[in-house]
Amino acid sequence: MDKNIVLIGMPGCGKSTVGVVLAKITGFRFLDSDLVIQEKEGRLLSEIIAQEGLESFARIENRINLGINVKKTVIATGGSVIYGKEAMKHFKRTGVIVYIRLPYEQIKTRLGDLTKRGVAIRKGQTLKELYDERAPIYEEYADIIVDEENMDIARTALYIRDMIKQLASEENNDNE
């Protein structure tokens, strides 16, 4: 399969950590889109959000993600990637979208201070409200949904690899 594997989900669900392991077991490259944004902007995500505001950050994130042109790469995206319709269309066209789903309570425990992480959250919005807002959007974009609750990193990565193989096999059968 030449398509990319695009990981989406809430901040703290393990996209980057799982992505590195997934890249190793598939032979794909690994790319963290948040790091690409920081590199191109010359600032941390938290600085971009503080200096530019959420709407400008969303435009920057969408533009930079839209410009990611790679093959056979595991791409760990930022949690707010789903708000960039053009970038998501691009990722859908060039990859398999995998939603790493984790219950709210576990996300809350993993995250800690949101401002230090550069989480795109509106002033006055709670993490629970953000979670409830994003979850259906992640599901809408996902080709594969992984319930990570009782899986460790290695098992999650292996599960994703196997699901992608199954998806590719089904596509091949459909094309015959």
Side-chain angles (χ1 to χ4, degrees), residues 110-122:
R110 288 184 184 188
L111 275 181
D113 185 352
L114 298 182
T115 54
K116 289 191 177 113
R117 276 194 75 128
V119 174
I121 189 166
R122 291 185 298 280

Side-chain angles (χ1 to χ4, degrees), residues 3 87-95 97 140-143:
K3 280 189 154 193
M88 286 306 296
K89 278 184 194 162
H90 167 66
F91 283 146
K92 195 86 165 157
R93 196 172 48 253
T94 60
I97 311 280
E140 188 180 310
Y141 278 117
D143 296 307

Side-chain angles (χ1 to χ4, degrees), residues 66-86:
L66 188 55
I68 293 174
N69 288 306
V70 292
K71 285 190 171 127
K72 294 185 84 166
T73 301
V74 176
I75 302 169
T77 63
S80 56
V81 68
I82 52 169
Y83 298 123
K85 288 185 176 23
E86 295 82 5

Side-chain angles (χ1 to χ4, degrees), residues 120-170:
I121 189 166
R122 291 185 298 280
K123 196 172 179 81
Q125 185 178 35
T126 67
L127 180 60
K128 177 74 168 112
E129 290 167 342
L130 185 69
Y131 182 92
D132 291 344
E133 174 183 301
R134 288 183 181 179
I137 305 170
Y138 292 135
E139 289 177 16
E140 188 180 310
Y141 278 117
D143 296 307
I144 297 169
I145 298 175
V146 180
D147 282 308
E148 192 190 28
E149 185 173 10
N150 297 311
M151 289 198 270
D152 61 17
I153 293 159
R155 218 159 81 205
T156 301
L158 289 168
Y159 179 81
I160 293 169
R161 181 199 63 191
D162 293 346
M163 291 301 294
I164 286 173
K165 278 183 183 173
Q166 185 179 328
L167 201 63
S169 169
E170 289 168 6

Side-chain angles (χ1 to χ4, degrees), residues 41-120:
E41 286 294 304
R43 306 177 270 177
L44 299 174
L45 297 179
S46 57
E47 293 171 335
I48 299 169
I49 292 167
Q51 293 164 8
E52 308 284 338
L54 281 181
E55 283 185 29
S56 287
F57 172 75
R59 283 193 296 276
I60 291 166
E61 180 179 43
N62 188 49
R63 174 178 44 81
I64 291 173
N65 281 326
L66 188 55
I68 293 174
N69 288 306
V70 292
K71 285 190 171 127
K72 294 185 84 166
T73 301
V74 176
I75 302 169
T77 63
S80 56
V81 68
I82 52 169
Y83 298 123
K85 288 185 176 23
E86 295 82 5
M88 286 306 296
K89 278 184 194 162
H90 167 66
F91 283 146
K92 195 86 165 157
R93 196 172 48 253
T94 60
V96 175
I97 311 280
V98 179
Y99 169 29
I100 299 178
R101 183 166 55 192
L102 201 59
Y104 167 73
E105 288 302 324
Q106 286 187 276
I107 294 289
K108 187 174 101 174
T109 302
R110 288 184 184 188
L111 275 181
D113 185 352
L114 298 182
T115 54
K116 289 191 177 113
R117 276 194 75 128
V119 174

